[in-house]
């Protein structure tokens, strides 16, 4: 079975995605699959074989090598950010009838949009921060934000990952700078109240027919919050399992499962919470979590004593079972 391990992307997260893709290539069961390293970048789409780049034919997502057309039976998607985490590539593969791992194009688009995710989860009584939604060109004053949310508060791009464009505003003098920083990533932003508590990250997936939590990781950051530097440049400590009570562990697990199922998820995910006043508050869900050796999800798989190759087998099986939209319309 030919498997395209797709990595890269068009955002600042592409470097992280390339690391995730390499872990997949190392861990996938090569007795069952023939993996191919596929790069999707702004400059080009290509399959890398023995150091040689073979252009991807976008008409059918194949490539030609030595006169032979090679097609893929399934795609493992490790693209963080756009276009692999926001539904664009998923819709493309759906139209071509190529099975792919992770959630479908609708769930991908929904969960990549922080405002829409919060809107859906509000119907399920999931605790979360107070928030204000602002589009570029809207008039918003720092005093208005302070009166609604208090200080400090967070300014975030509505659609972005790896904490790109996120700022914590502790003094109103920093508000305009935070707006500019967030608007550089997206035309829409969220301004959220500060949740003072313990941060945890929870790996959740569909495994053998059930919604399963791999583990709960406690995040201790040297910075003001778990930003890009803390996530990828060693400015944080990640403790698995989290140092929380059995009762709180149960609360976090049940809330994480509730979020996953409420959003109609499938595939790997990592959901972040702040535990404040003994209540897990939802921060965000990542539907293509980092899979590099430094990433949290693989750490949690190790804690759960499940080999990454087994998780990949499970993901591929789920992808093959899910019928593309055109098959459903027949």
């Amino acid at each position: 079975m030919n498997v395209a391990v797709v990595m890269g992307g068009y955002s600042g997260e592409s470097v992280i995605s390339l690391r995730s893709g390499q872990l997949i290539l190392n861990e996938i069961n090569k007795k069952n699959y023939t993996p191919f390293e596929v790069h999707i970048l702004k400059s080009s789409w290509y399959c890398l074989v023995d150091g040689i780049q073979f252009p991807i034919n976008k008409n059918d997502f194949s490539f030609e090598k030595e006169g032979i057309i090679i097609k893929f039976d399934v795609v493992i998607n490790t693209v963080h950010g756009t276009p692999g985490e926001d539904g664009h590539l998923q819709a493309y593969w759906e139209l071509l009838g190529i099975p792919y791992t992770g959630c479908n194009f609708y769930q991908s688009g929904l969960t990549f949009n922080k405002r829409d995710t919060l809107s859906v989860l509000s119907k399920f009584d999931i605790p979360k921060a107070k928030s204000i939604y602002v589009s570029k060109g809207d008039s918003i004053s720092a005093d208005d934000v302070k009166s609604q949310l208090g200080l400090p508060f967070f300014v975030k791009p509505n659609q972005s990952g790896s904490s790109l464009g996120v700022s914590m505003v502790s003094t109103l003098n920093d508000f305009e700078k935070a707006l500019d920083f967030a608007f550089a990533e997206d035309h829409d932003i969220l301004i959220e109240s500060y949740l003072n508590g313990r941060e945890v990250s929870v790996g959740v997936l569909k495994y053998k027919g059930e919604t399963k939590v791999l583990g709960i990781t406690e995040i201790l950051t040297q910075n003001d919050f778990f930003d890009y530097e803390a996530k990828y440049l060693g400015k944080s400590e990640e403790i698995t399992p989290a140092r929380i009570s059995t009762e709180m562990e149960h609360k976090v697990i049940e809330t994480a499962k509730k979020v996953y199922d409420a959003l109609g998820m499938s595939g790997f995910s990592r959901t972040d919470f702040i535990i404040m006043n003994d209540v897990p508050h939802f921060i965000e869900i990542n539907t293509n979590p980092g899979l590099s050796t430094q990433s949290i999800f693989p750490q949690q798989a190790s804690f759960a004593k499940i080999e990454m190759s087994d998780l990949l087998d499970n993901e591929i099986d789920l992808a093959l079972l899910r019928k593309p939209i055109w098959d459903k319309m027949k």
Side-chain angles (χ1 to χ4, degrees), residues 86-238:
D86 55 9
H88 293 167
L89 281 176
Q90 289 88 340
Y92 164 70
W93 292 319
E94 193 88 27
L95 290 172
L96 292 176
I98 302 174
Y100 54 90
T101 60
C103 55
N104 67 23
F105 61 91
Y106 172 74
Q107 269 74 32
S108 298
L110 169 66
T111 54
F112 198 66
N113 187 304
K114 294 182 177 67
R115 180 196 64 172
D116 291 355
T117 301
L118 294 173
S119 178
V120 169
L121 291 180
S122 68
K123 310 299 182 184
F124 294 88
D125 298 321
I126 303 294
K128 57 189 185 301
K130 296 178 182 178
S131 61
I132 300 170
Y133 182 73
V134 182
S135 296
K136 201 162 191 176
D138 289 350
S139 177
I140 183 79
S141 75
D143 289 330
D144 286 342
V145 174
K146 180 182 176 182
S147 66
Q148 294 183 57
L149 305 181
L151 279 174
F153 55 79
F154 283 96
V155 179
K156 305 177 177 181
N158 187 44
Q159 299 189 75
S160 180
S162 293
S163 298
L164 295 171
V166 178
S167 301
M168 187 171 81
V169 175
S170 300
T171 170
L172 296 187
N173 292 333
D174 295 330
F175 182 58
E176 291 299 327
K177 180 181 177 181
L179 288 179
D180 291 340
F181 190 46
F183 279 131
E185 295 291 332
D186 192 14
H187 289 286
D188 302 306
I189 65 171
L190 274 179
I191 307 174
E192 292 186 336
S193 61
Y194 175 71
L195 299 174
N196 186 15
R198 178 173 292 179
E199 183 167 359
V200 295
S201 191
V202 188
V204 190
L205 75 159
K206 283 289 184 198
Y207 186 66
K208 296 184 177 179
E210 297 182 359
T211 301
K212 179 177 179 60
V213 169
L214 285 181
I216 304 172
T217 298
E218 182 179 351
I219 308 297
L220 298 175
T221 176
Q222 298 174 25
N223 296 348
D224 290 334
F225 64 97
F226 196 41
D227 59 6
Y228 185 94
E229 185 181 50
K231 287 178 178 177
Y232 303 116
L233 302 179
K235 295 292 185 178
S236 67
E237 184 180 358
E238 298 153 6

Side-chain angles (χ1 to χ4, degrees), residues 2 36-38 46-49 53-57 60-65 68-72:
N2 289 340
F36 290 88
E37 181 175 345
V38 177
Y46 59 86
C47 184
L48 191 65
V49 182
Q53 297 180 10
F54 295 91
I56 292 290
N57 182 347
D60 61 2
F61 201 63
S62 68
F63 72 97
E64 182 177 344
K65 180 177 180 285
I68 299 174
I69 302 297
I70 297 177
K71 295 187 176 183
F72 303 112

Side-chain angles (χ1 to χ4, degrees), residues 288-304:
N288 268 8
L291 298 176
S292 70
T293 52
Q294 296 83 21
S295 298
I296 292 172
F297 193 90
Q299 294 176 32
Q300 294 174 339
S302 178
F303 168 74

